[in-house]
Amino acid sequence: MLFFDISTWDPQDNEKVIEHFKNLRPPAGITIINQWVDLNGGRYFILYEAENNEAYAEFNIPWSDVCLIDSVPVMESTDFIKLMISKGL
């Protein structure tokens, strides 16, 4: 399943966040598709695939001490349209 996460943090936590980034090693079951940093600071965006709930939790929980993570399950719009058509919607 695909997830798009927006992580935010207080500017006073910049050093802690940088340390997290230095140690970022996705667990088994997580495939990072792309990532972006807000050039204004304080936000990070990531699109990734999680094979299961355990991988998802293992990936996000270590950030909970420095970031607020808004995690959104997503799918490509063409796949969504095909799904809706197949369901008669």
Side-chain angles (χ1 to χ4, degrees), residues 1 6 14-16 19-20 43 57 61 69 74 80 84-85:
M1 183 170 213
I6 302 170
N14 281 344
E15 291 299 319
K16 291 179 189 175
E19 284 305 310
H20 275 279
R43 289 194 306 174
I61 288 173
I69 300 173
V74 296
F80 179 76
M84 293 297 102
I85 291 171

Side-chain angles (χ1 to χ4, degrees), residues 22-88:
K22 286 180 184 177
N23 298 316
L24 179 62
R25 305 287 181 272
I30 295 292
T31 302
I32 295 175
I33 297 169
N34 212 333
Q35 6 181 13
W36 304 268
V37 175
D38 182 345
L39 296 178
N40 292 315
R43 289 194 306 174
Y44 165 72
F45 308 89
I46 183 169
L47 178 65
Y48 61 96
E49 185 168 9
E51 289 181 9
N52 54 52
N53 292 339
E54 292 80 11
Y56 172 83
E58 187 178 342
F59 188 52
N60 281 301
I61 288 173
W63 291 87
S64 64
D65 64 332
V66 294
C67 295
L68 174 63
I69 300 173
D70 185 13
S71 188
V72 181
V74 296
M75 82 185 320
E76 291 187 30
S77 59
T78 54
D79 293 337
F80 179 76
I81 291 167
K82 288 177 190 174
L83 176 64
M84 293 297 102
I85 291 171
S86 75
K87 300 294 181 186

